[in-house]
Structure formats: structure tokens, C-alpha cells
Amino acid sequence: MRKILITRAVFPEVVAALSRRFEVVHNAEDRPWPPEELARRLEGVSGAMATVMDKFDEPILAQCAQLKVISNIAVGYNNIDVPACTRRGIRVTNTPGVLDDTTADLTWSLLMAAARRIAEADAYVRRGDWKIAFGVQYFLGQDIHHATLGIIGMGRIGQAIARRASGFDMRVLYNNRSRLSESDEKRLNATRVERDELLAQSDFVVVMVPYSPATHHMIGAAEIAKMKPNAILVNSARGGVVDDAALVEALKARRIAGAGLDVFEGEPKLHPELAALPNVVLTPHIGSASRATRVVMCNAAAGNMTAVLEGREPANPVN
Ligand code: NAP
């Protein structure tokens, strides 16, 4: 029986299904393995079901001669050196599509929470600071309805975010390197503009691009300086797409009104000043975290890995 490794705790039904075909080593304890331990546990393993926390770089890959497939339980795969895998004949797969709506929902949760200062207001009530029942000027926030939403990265998830904007009668701008088809633009009621125009016109800027050297610090001090003073920035894509230090400076100076962040540079560590800022809403990389979606993602990842190991083409090949 071939050996497979599941690097973090997944659902028992997924482990049970894989155990019928493979010898399964499952990190049921869910303690993230440091690189040396990951390399050691990969010895003799043919397939790895992994998360974005597991870095598969040249030094690790050099130690796993038997590895045939890395099946990421994620759509993003910036944790994997894909060209190095290709050189070594290792297939890489991901789970696109099945998490679009769940991630779009979370992105909207951050947008709305930042716009209406939900986290700040919640903390105020819990602290017992709410002494007078109503104030005309309490916790004034930004209107979402009829505002302009700018989406940088109008792919699967970006489009799911855009679809939700119609209920709020929003104007939707987007920026991709390539333009959507006319029919998709019409269906989404979205207009492609250059990035600078999007930054200058949007009340809400959402980034939803994959992380790569090309998107590293795509939003930094210069880009934030182009945003409106009432604007809110939402990053539920990947840490590193936004320059967190530049964002902290902008939020401190009230250069923009707020931010909603699900992902961070160097997560789980935060920029040291981020948590003290009232005008930012923070969640711990939970974009696709509904039970239903995570089960579907795990099953998709298991299916991709099984296909490769049984000599079939996986549903979601990256290389
Ligand atoms: P996708 O369908 O590939 O969409 C990515 C979009 O980004 C494409 O429309 C692409 O269009 C655009 N893009 C890429 N590089 C760009 C650039 N330099 N400038 C402007 N646009 C650029 O991917 P997806 O499924 O929507 O997922 C997007 C990312 O979301 C994932 O890679 C992942 O990192 C992140 N994500 C995060 C969570 C979470 O838990 N927070 C959950 C799911 C996904 P062009 O190629 O035309 O530029």
C-alpha cells in the first residue's frame, strides 16, 4: 500500500475514505510541523495533502524522492515551488472554484464590519462603555449602498464578490491584467479601469489576486496615497499583497478610513501596531472556513491526490 501524508487535521470521513486505498499518516494532533519535521515525515511518502502553511521548496523537495503529488487544500499555492516540482516530476494540484462563495462572503463580512465599525462597537458594548442609549453621532461609519466597489483581481472569487454588490446598488470597477468578456462585464455590471483610476474612485478597494513576486506589495504607500480619505481596504487574498507596514501608517494617520484583513505578512504574527488600531477589522485567515466548504475542499484535494497516484489526470492540475 502506498503511503500518503495529511499534514494537518482534516475531517474523519476524509481520512477514512483515503485509508481504504492508502496507508495514511494523518496529523490528527494538528500541530504544524516545522520544515525539518515535515521533511522527515515525507520520507517514503507518495502523496502529500497539504495546506498553505506547508512550504515545499527545493531543500524539502530534495529530500522526498518518492513524492509524486502535492495536493494543496487551497486554491492558492504560493507555498509550493511549482517549477521545482515540475522539474522533479511532482504533480501539484489545488481546489479552485469550490470556495468562491464562502470566501466572497467572508470578504463582504470584513468590508461591512469595517464600514460600519462593528468590531469597535462590539468591544465598546462588551467593555460596559455604553452608558447612554442613543447618540446621533455614535459610531458613524461609511455607507455601503450606492458606493463604488473596486476589485483588484476579478477572477473566480473577485466575481463572486462583485455579484454580491448588486444587492447594495453599488458601482463596480475592476482591474485585471486581462479584460473579462463583454457578456461577463454586463452580467456583473462591472467596468474595467486602470489600477490608479480604481484606487482614486473606489470607496471600497478589495484585493483578490494570487500572491506572487508580481503581486508582492501591490498595495503599498504609493497606492494607498491614491485612495479616497473615506476609503476602506480589504485584503482576503494573501499576506504580502498589501504592504502591512504602509497600511498601518495610513490607518494611524487616518489617510484612509479603515481596513478589513484576513491575511497578513508573516502570519500568524501581526505587524506590532496593527492590533491596537481601532479602524481595522482582523480575522485569522478564515476566508474559506465554513464546515461545508472545508469538507468539499478536503474531498477535492483527496480526489486530486488519488487520481495522480492511480495514474489518472487530476481534476485540478497546477502543473
Ligand atoms: P483566480 O480565479 O485565478 O483569480 C485571480 C485574478 O487575479 C485573475 O482575475 C487575474 O486576472 C488577477 N490577477 C493576477 N495577477 C494580477 C495582477 N498582477 N494585477 C491585476 N490582477 C491580477 O483566483 P481565485 O480563485 O479568485 O483566488 C484568488 C486568490 O485568493 C488565491 O490565489 C488565494 O491566494 C486567495 N484566497 C484566499 C482565501 C482566504 O482564506 N483568505 C481563500 C481563497 C482564496 P489576470 O490574470 O487577467 O490579471
Side-chain angles (χ1 to χ4, degrees):
M1 236 183 185
R2 266 173 303 181
K3 193 164 143 188
I4 63 141
L5 183 70
I6 308 175
T7 66
R8 295 294 298 279
V10 298
F11 304 98
E13 60 267 35
V14 179
V15 181
L18 285 167
S19 298
R20 287 194 280 275
R21 291 177 139 101
F22 306 106
E23 179 194 337
V24 178
V25 178
H26 177 214
N27 183 2
E29 187 194 0
D30 207 29
R31 174 180 57 83
W33 292 327
E36 325 75 65
E37 188 172 353
L38 176 65
R40 188 165 48 74
R41 294 193 183 258
L42 280 165
E43 273 169 33
V45 160
S46 303
M49 236 168 89
T51 72
V52 294
M53 278 196 65
D54 305 306
K55 201 165 181 197
F56 287 89
D57 52 13
E58 236 346 312
I60 294 271
L61 295 171
Q63 295 176 66
C64 25
Q66 269 180 270
L67 194 63
K68 297 276 175 285
V69 53
I70 301 167
S71 174
N72 239 23
I73 313 169
V75 60
Y77 47 82
N78 53 295
N79 56 311
I80 303 171
D81 183 340
V82 178
C85 287
T86 306
R87 282 196 299 278
R88 292 174 179 277
I90 298 169
R91 296 298 299 272
V92 178
T93 63
N94 66 344
T95 62
V98 295
L99 41 57
D100 299 350
D101 284 317
T102 301
T103 308
D105 288 350
L106 187 275
T107 305
W108 267 92
S109 307
L110 287 173
L111 185 157
M112 296 179 76
R116 297 300 303 271
R117 304 172 60 184
I118 300 293
E120 220 184 316
D122 177 271
Y124 174 86
V125 174
R126 286 171 198 270
R127 270 197 315 270
D129 287 351
W130 189 29
K131 307 281 193 218
I132 301 170
F134 178 82
V136 173
Q137 299 199 54
Y138 277 4
F139 287 99
L140 302 180
Q142 310 286 328
D143 274 332
I144 300 162
H145 64 87
H146 298 96
T148 297
L149 171 64
I151 301 172
I152 303 178
M154 189 69 133
R156 288 173 293 252
I157 301 170
Q159 292 180 36
I161 293 165
R163 284 200 298 276
R164 285 155 174 74
S166 67
F168 291 87
D169 297 315
M170 294 176 100
R171 181 164 77 118
V172 180
L173 306 176
Y174 78 94
N175 177 259
N176 268 359
R177 288 163 305 182
S178 54
R179 195 176 163 174
L180 299 184
S181 69
E182 237 176 84
S183 61
D184 280 345
E185 284 190 350
K186 209 168 168 191
R187 179 173 55 82
L188 296 164
N189 194 23
T191 306
R192 184 180 183 281
V193 293
E194 291 308 317
R195 196 184 308 163
D196 282 358
E197 190 181 341
L198 181 148
L199 293 169
Q201 291 202 23
S202 299
D203 302 299
F204 299 94
V205 174
V206 172
V207 284
M208 201 33 82
V209 295
Y211 179 76
S212 72
T215 59
H216 178 75
H217 286 188
M218 171 186 250
I219 303 293
E223 289 71 27
I224 295 170
K226 291 173 184 150
M227 290 169 66
K228 291 163 124 179
N230 68 298
I232 283 168
L233 175 69
V234 180
N235 181 14
S236 50
R238 274 290 179 274
V241 171
V242 171
D243 177 346
D244 287 352
L247 177 62
V248 164
E249 286 313 309
L251 291 170
K252 272 165 55 184
R254 301 269 169 181
R255 175 64 202 81
I256 59 173
L261 305 173
D262 184 49
V263 287
F264 307 86
E265 289 189 277
E267 62 190 34
K269 283 200 183 125
L270 297 185
H271 182 287
E273 293 181 84
L274 203 48
L277 295 175
N279 48 346
V280 60
V281 180
L282 311 169
T283 51
H285 200 149
I286 56 169
S288 63
S290 74
R291 188 180 205 283
T293 292
R294 286 283 166 85
V295 168
V296 172
M297 287 168 68
C298 287
N299 283 330
N304 284 327
M305 183 170 62
T306 303
V308 173
L309 294 179
E310 293 184 349
R312 290 176 281 112
E313 185 59 16
N316 311 113
V318 170
N319 65 352

